Amino acid sequence: MSENMNNSTLRRDPRREWILRNRLHPQHSEIATEDSSSDVLHEWMGPQGIKRKAPHNIGFIGPNGIRRIDRSGTQQAGSASRKEIAQQPSRRSHQIQHPQQYILVVADMTGGRLSAQDKDILGLAHQLAAKKAETAVMLVVFGEHKEAAFAEAGVDRLLHIEGEAFDGFSPDLRLAWLTAIERELHPDYWLFPDSGLGGGDLGRRLAVELDVHAATGLWQVNLKEQPISCVCRAAASTQDLTRELPRVILALSECAEPISDSLHAVQEFNLVRQPLDQLPRIQDLGAVAVDPASVSLAEAEFILSGGNGIRDWDGFHQTAEILGATEGASRVAVDDGYMPRDRQVGATGTWVTARVYMAVGISGAIQHLQGIQSCDKVICINTDAGCDMVKRADLALIGDSTEILAAVRRKVSELKQEKRHVA
Amino acid sequence: MSLNQATRVAVLLSIGQHPVTARARRADQDARALELALQLNHADVIPLHVGQLNEHNEAALRSYLGMGISQIKLIGNSDILLGLEQGVRESQANIVLCGSRAETGEGSGLVPYLLAKKLGWPIVSGLVSIEKLDQGSATLLQALPRGQRRKLKVSLPAVLAVDPAAAVARQSAFGPAQRGAITPQKLSSIEAVSGAEVKHNSALHSFLWQFQPAKKRPKRLKIIKATSARDRFKAAAAKADASGGKVLQGVSADDAANEIIKLLLEESVLNLDGHL
Amino acid sequence: MLNQILPLLIFGALLLAVVGGVRRIRLWRNGRPSDVPIMAGLAALPRRYLVDLHHVVARDKYISNTHVATGGGFVAAAILAILVHGLQLNSQILAWALLAATTSMFVGALFVAKRRVQPPERLSKGPWMRLPKSLLAFSIGFFLVTLPVTGLVPAVLGAWVLALILSVLIIWGLGEMFFGMTWGGPMKHAFAGALHLAFHRRAERFNGGRSTGLKPLHFDDQQQPLGVEKPSEFTWNQLLGFDACVQCGRCEAMCPAFAAGQPLNPKKLIQDMVVGLAGGSDAAYAGSPYPGKPLGEHQGGPFASIIAREGQGLLDAETLWSCTTCRACVEECPMMIEHVDAIVDMRRHLTLERGQTPNKGAEVIDNLIATDNPNGFNPASRMNWAADLALPVLSDVKRTDVLLWMGDGAFDMRNQRSLRALVKILRAAKVDFAVLGNEERDSGDVARRLGDEATFQSLAKRNITTLAQYSFRSIVTCDPHSFHVLKNEYSDFGGQYVVYHHSTFINHLRQTGKLNFAPYKGGSVTYHDPCYLGRYNGEYDAPRDLLAAAGIQVIEMERSGFRSRCCGGGGGAPITDIPGKQRIPDMRMEDIKQTGAEIVAVGCPQCTAMLEGVVDPRPEVLDIAEIIAKQLVEAEEAA
């Protein structure tokens, strides 16, 4: 495909040139695309991670010997960039050989993987690290994990603390480790995701231990100011507090962009002095089985809601169980006795804030639509394409709900089975 | 602690603020904490508030009384943390129940941790219910995301911070609220030290700190890895995702199911690890 | 022989009656004091009985004629019997009069007996089944003993056997009529009823007046309890009122909650209050129970909690919370008993003292306190619906002719359509109007019906203060609940306003030629009377006149006007949400469907919401303002 790559001798092929000139020729587009692939590299990543360009190499030599630059991208640029990707690693490598100081990130690792919030926090850590040379971002991971992409997320150093105790709630032990790290490394910053029970809890424990007035609910850092200031949610998220950036930071999700264009070393790190075992004052007795259907509507993240149009309530309940969704209902379904009153969604029932709200057989009375105002995504299954719920929905499926729910159940079961076999 | 000693529960009550109108009210989480305390059998409940009683907050404090307690101990005119510490110590409580974070001021949620540190007690946050009280320990339920729960055993005395998912506080009734007493407490050992410390703390940061009404956070845009001007242009000029939803009519049930599952996976609400 | 026994019997029965009366009065006096005028009340009694009460009784011609004959006959017979047989006045005229009176009573009693052959469901049985026989015994007995006095039959007829039979009849008659009157028999209604009319807590209701606003609690009065926990915490004349009940069950037949199978029966409620004031259990009650609540499980006493904190009391709380405060029972009651007052009094205790407003009640009250509207919307967004209408706001214009009170419907997308229609009409008629805008608050209606008098008074006082800053001639609102509260309940706190419901006001505009209508081409229309407009404020005609003027022939429902059935939306009933066998709005929609109308015209945001909540297919629900706005023709066009 690219035998004339970097070949400066221009060999002319009159037939090709003729086809290139004749846009109506059946082979025109084929030849044109092929021709452009002969282009030499005009863009590459420099050693400092800065993009370098050779403007002379941009474009292609047109049929009458004149250089053409086609910005529409139909012909040349497309294939050129494809080639670029193939030629060089998409991410620059970010190496810190001899770190002078550290920024510590303690990730939640929900489900054993870096959560989106964890990645944002790592992004924030790198923004702070860029202020001083030779600063490494170190991630602390407690217990088992399944994450394979630490390098892409921006982990320069990894402190993996293993132990069965970390499978459960063990704040005292974790805190002991963090204080040991503090003694040994004295990091510039401690970053935690300000999430319910993970970083939100541990971060506050550490802040109190270190006697630092932590920044909580942080969502913006102003790096250009001196000293660096930050903006935190205060007074139950009704106010913004602008303050100086302390050493212990508990940040919200989307506080910074996650790392997207560099590859990091993920070098294992070990503490010289490990903390002593101590008797825990808090003992984890394990998870309590909670039926997703019984989760309160206000807490629910994913609601499967049924209305007047449902014929097969058993199927509805089964679907909720398989999907792990919390059950909701329209007023009519409650009035008709299919669902208890505390499951009613709407202005006259519960106002819900679920991320995904799936309405089955609900036509969407105004009161109901008011109650789901703050839901992110609405899926709707209904027989009537003209109803208000279809207008509100992000994904509307017109058809028989019994059949569609049965298909969903079947497909999800299959997917779960597959997953199980893979694992 | 002697065997016959009843559990003494100090409940820390603060002045809340309504999220829409910013009117003073009983703080939601503190009220839930009081509710948890009131539902304990054989426990003495000691409600504490640190601050001054004034026109602005009296109704809010009284609405705690309306939940059926006869008095609130008022610890006036001191640093909040020191006041709480003294209040808890003098009430001889072995459990402190409080909300996770305040509805006014910084609302950092650090106070329960600071208090626990000062008292030297363990702290558990995210509490949804107290299952059992034994001599020297308590069995608790802690809230996990998506309505999940975890059982913990903590040695007493302890500080327990209540999760917003705990049981809703009972209604506050007007009559008991009017009749209940807000009794100022004379605490012996705070005096001068606290005054100095308050000054010290405020000098440290308050001159830098600014409060403003919360700004709406910008929605994160899809990150476009634009390597060329053309990609950037295309990204900038691209039509925003149509606001109207996708309507699928006349598709087979299987296709419909696939569409649904695709969206559920995109939103990561579907957990395929779960049981079949 | 009989001549010697008769005075003894009569005066003996009278004495027992007096003793019983004193005993009964002492039971009533367990109640709290009430400042009704005693002498003026007694003086007004005959007129109240003969005119006002009879006006209600006469809705059922059969029973009113029967009652005139029986009751009138008995009163005359009783007085004459005391004179003729008790005092032995030997007067031919009196004797003949007594014969006539007993005959009248006898005829009446026959009709009473006939009604009792197959009594309607609503009537109580038990001792009430005995009453016609007792009436017959009394009338026959005294008729026969009077015959010798008139000289029609020789006195010797009074042979031993006959005398014995006669004595039995007379003892039975006297026992039921004199002794039973004050010792708790069915005739108690005559004794208590008469005094109840004399000392009625709403004297304004007589002489054709209307008194429907709830009575305020005085929070600065330390003696006054916050609502009613025990029967003794009712005022004494309320207790007296309960005793006046004749158990005719007209309230039961009208009660929407009872019909829907919710655990409420107004008749049983009043009887339970009687049980409460005298002490005992409800086992002896012989009428329809609360749906789903068997008899004999509840008991109480004057100083026992009506709603027990633990175990069974006299009532279950859900009985009280089933009421929609539609006033249908009060409207129907021939004894003019105030059921709604009693229910709200007991609700006040539950809310103010115990904090036990069920279901969404607590949340609604919290919202009213924190945001001045029941759904917790931002009070600064009350005017958002009218962002494009450029409505004049009173804080800018300071004075206006008409203040348009928006109500909480301003937050509701459905009601905003009605409000827009109303604004269109006002503009077409060139009315000088303005709104309070974001300064407006909930009127306090829901808080008050839920028993939260404190929040109601707080809202009322703040609204009155706001209103006092501006100058306006009248208030117009499309919400009958706000209408009622502004018109009838704010006056206790110093707010006196001229208030019109929008149907009245639009009708007035039409009458003065400010509106022109195009010929009506829409579907057939029926009209649903909102309780708070009709029964509470007597406005039945304006909406009908208005629709007629717009060329709409209203098909009346069987239950319309003062007998209109509630939509189920009043009194906080949708908030407390007590389950029944069916829903009240579904029943009302059945009424509507029976007319075959395609459109039901309403005049209340609550009714609109409740009726629109009925599952399709059903007639379209439109506010009167919406219908009229569609019919409007601009004046220029018409000219």
Side-chain angles (χ1 to χ4, degrees), chain A residues 308 331-332 335-336 341 344 346-351 366-367 370 373, chain C residues 359-360 363 375 377 411-414 417 577 583 609 612-615:
Chain A
N308 198 30
R331 186 191 55 74
V332 180
D335 286 342
D336 291 349
R341 183 63 72 186
Q344 185 183 327
T348 45
T350 309
W351 294 68
I366 288 181
Q367 286 81 2
Q370 273 179 307
Q373 260 170 1
Chain C
N359 291 325
K360 304 270 277 180
E363 187 186 326
N375 291 313
F377 293 109
F411 293 107
D412 177 69
M413 293 182 202
R414 170 62 184 91
R417 298 213 302 263
D577 191 35
R583 293 177 68 249
E612 285 201 336
V614 178
V615 180

Side-chain angles (χ1 to χ4, degrees), chain A residues 24-296:
Chain A
L24 295 177
H25 193 280
Q27 279 177 293
H28 170 82
S29 60
E30 195 183 310
I31 300 283
T33 332
E34 208 175 291
D35 189 65
S36 68
S37 68
S38 66
D39 231 322
V40 286
L41 195 63
H42 60 81
E43 241 184 48
W44 65 94
M45 196 59 78
Q48 269 80 40
I50 298 165
K51 191 179 279 179
R52 310 309 303 257
K53 279 189 178 183
H56 291 292
N57 293 345
I58 295 176
F60 60 100
I61 307 298
N64 22 19
I66 299 168
R67 178 170 295 274
R68 314 296 308 249
I69 299 175
D70 183 355
R71 300 269 183 213
S72 80
T74 43
Q75 289 185 322
Q76 289 72 28
S79 62
S81 59
R82 224 182 295 136
K83 187 175 67 198
E84 254 173 72
I85 290 165
Q87 270 185 353
Q88 54 170 358
S90 61
R91 288 161 175 262
R92 71 192 154 85
S93 150
H94 179 97
Q95 299 283 348
I96 290 166
Q97 300 302 341
H98 305 288
Q100 297 303 304
Q101 55 272 315
Y102 291 93
I103 291 179
L104 263 286
V105 174
V106 186
D108 272 356
M109 303 293 291
T110 27
R113 294 192 177 86
L114 286 170
S115 68
Q117 191 177 4
D118 290 339
K119 290 179 184 169
D120 296 343
I121 308 281
L122 281 164
L124 178 65
H126 276 284
Q127 286 184 12
L128 293 167
K131 297 285 283 184
K132 257 197 223 173
E134 296 301 299
T135 306
V137 172
M138 184 187 294
L139 181 76
V140 182
V141 173
F142 290 107
E144 291 294 303
H145 73 81
K146 303 179 208 156
E147 182 61 59
F150 284 129
E152 284 82 356
V155 179
D156 296 324
R157 296 288 183 276
L158 180 67
L159 176 49
H160 187 194
I161 306 165
E162 281 167 286
E164 267 174 37
F166 299 117
D167 295 344
F169 188 62
S170 47
D172 290 338
L173 186 58
R174 289 173 196 234
L175 183 62
W177 273 90
L178 296 187
T179 37
I181 297 169
E182 166 75 15
R183 271 197 305 275
E184 195 165 319
L185 297 176
H186 197 78
D188 281 3
Y189 296 103
W190 280 98
L191 273 68
F192 297 84
D194 196 354
S195 56
L197 271 179
D201 183 54
L202 198 54
R204 286 181 175 82
R205 286 177 196 270
L206 182 71
V208 168
E209 192 64 33
L210 305 185
D211 201 17
V212 174
H213 194 141
T216 57
L218 175 143
W219 63 274
Q220 200 173 56
V221 173
N222 301 321
L223 291 160
K224 289 188 185 117
E225 285 176 29
Q226 199 50 248
I228 302 173
S229 73
C230 62
V231 186
C232 305
R233 285 289 198 230
S237 294
T238 58
Q239 295 211 300
D240 276 341
L241 163 66
T242 310
R243 55 169 286 183
E244 85 292 344
L245 190 70
R247 275 188 66 216
V248 180
I249 298 162
L250 284 80
L252 299 176
S253 60
E254 302 191 9
C255 56
E257 293 297 342
I259 298 297
S260 62
D261 55 358
S262 51
L263 212 53
H264 297 252
V266 200
Q267 202 171 317
E268 289 279 344
F269 184 88
N270 286 306
L271 276 190
V272 178
R273 265 183 302 169
Q274 302 192 344
L276 299 170
D277 275 351
Q278 51 177 341
L279 197 66
R281 292 184 294 180
I282 302 168
Q283 202 185 330
D284 191 336
L285 302 180
V288 178
V290 176
D291 177 11
S294 70
V295 171
S296 86

Side-chain angles (χ1 to χ4, degrees), chain C residues 53-66:
Chain C
L53 182 131
H54 207 262
H55 181 73
V56 184
V57 179
R59 287 178 193 159
D60 185 343
K61 280 275 178 279
Y62 178 96
I63 207 68
S64 84
N65 291 336
T66 306

Side-chain angles (χ1 to χ4, degrees), chain C residues 379-624:
Chain C
S381 67
R382 192 177 273 270
M383 273 298 277
N384 286 7
W385 68 276
D388 58 331
L389 292 177
L391 296 184
V393 178
L394 266 179
S395 56
D396 301 332
V397 297
K398 304 292 180 205
R399 59 173 59 242
T400 182
D401 208 22
V402 170
L403 165 60
L404 174 61
W405 185 273
M406 305 181 289
D408 293 321
F411 293 107
D412 177 69
M413 293 182 202
R414 170 62 184 91
N415 189 242
Q416 287 164 7
R417 298 213 302 263
S418 312
L419 280 169
R420 281 177 177 276
L422 179 55
V423 167
K424 183 182 166 195
I425 295 167
L426 294 179
R427 289 210 158 134
K430 301 196 169 51
V431 175
D432 170 27
F433 74 97
V435 292
L436 276 179
N438 292 339
E439 279 187 288
E440 190 184 301
R441 294 172 193 86
D442 178 84
S443 62
D445 167 73
V446 170
R448 194 169 221 201
R449 312 302 135 184
L450 289 177
D452 192 349
E453 182 74 2
T455 303
F456 164 73
Q457 291 193 10
S458 152
L459 286 165
K461 284 170 185 163
R462 283 182 291 149
N463 273 326
I464 290 169
T465 314
T466 308
L467 289 169
Q469 298 167 11
Y470 306 114
S471 146
F472 53 87
R473 239 181 268 176
S474 58
I475 302 177
V476 171
T477 177
C478 59
D479 173 16
H481 295 262
S482 303
F483 168 60
H484 167 69
V485 170
L486 287 166
K487 185 175 171 224
N488 302 319
E489 298 191 346
Y490 274 21
S491 49
D492 286 323
F493 310 96
Q496 305 270 6
Y497 312 107
V498 181
V499 194
Y500 299 108
H501 184 247
H502 69 317
S503 63
T504 317
F505 189 75
I506 300 172
N507 193 38
H508 175 73
L509 291 177
R510 171 193 71 82
Q511 283 164 339
T512 47
K514 295 206 174 97
L515 295 174
N516 297 290
F517 301 129
Y520 182 71
K521 292 198 192 75
S524 52
V525 175
T526 185
Y527 172 68
H528 164 77
D529 286 277
C531 311
Y532 277 71
L533 182 62
R535 278 188 290 272
Y536 272 79
N537 287 290
E539 184 59 279
Y540 302 111
D541 298 335
R544 292 181 168 79
D545 289 354
L546 184 57
L547 290 172
I552 298 168
Q553 182 89 44
V554 172
I555 315 167
E556 289 292 354
M557 281 181 265
E558 196 187 310
R559 283 184 63 172
S560 66
F562 74 86
R563 283 207 166 127
S564 168
R565 198 207 294 263
C566 177
C567 69
I575 297 161
T576 55
D577 191 35
I578 304 300
K581 288 197 183 59
Q582 48 183 332
R583 293 177 68 249
I584 297 174
D586 291 347
M587 298 190 308
R588 188 54 174 164
M589 193 49 86
E590 255 338 286
D591 295 349
I592 294 165
K593 280 179 185 164
Q594 272 174 19
T595 65
E598 293 155 65
I599 295 169
V600 52
V602 292
C604 171
Q606 281 292 344
C607 299
T608 314
M610 297 307 286
L611 294 176
E612 285 201 336
V614 178
V615 180
D616 275 327
R618 52 155 171 77
E620 195 181 358
V621 183
L622 287 175
D623 192 273
I624 270 201

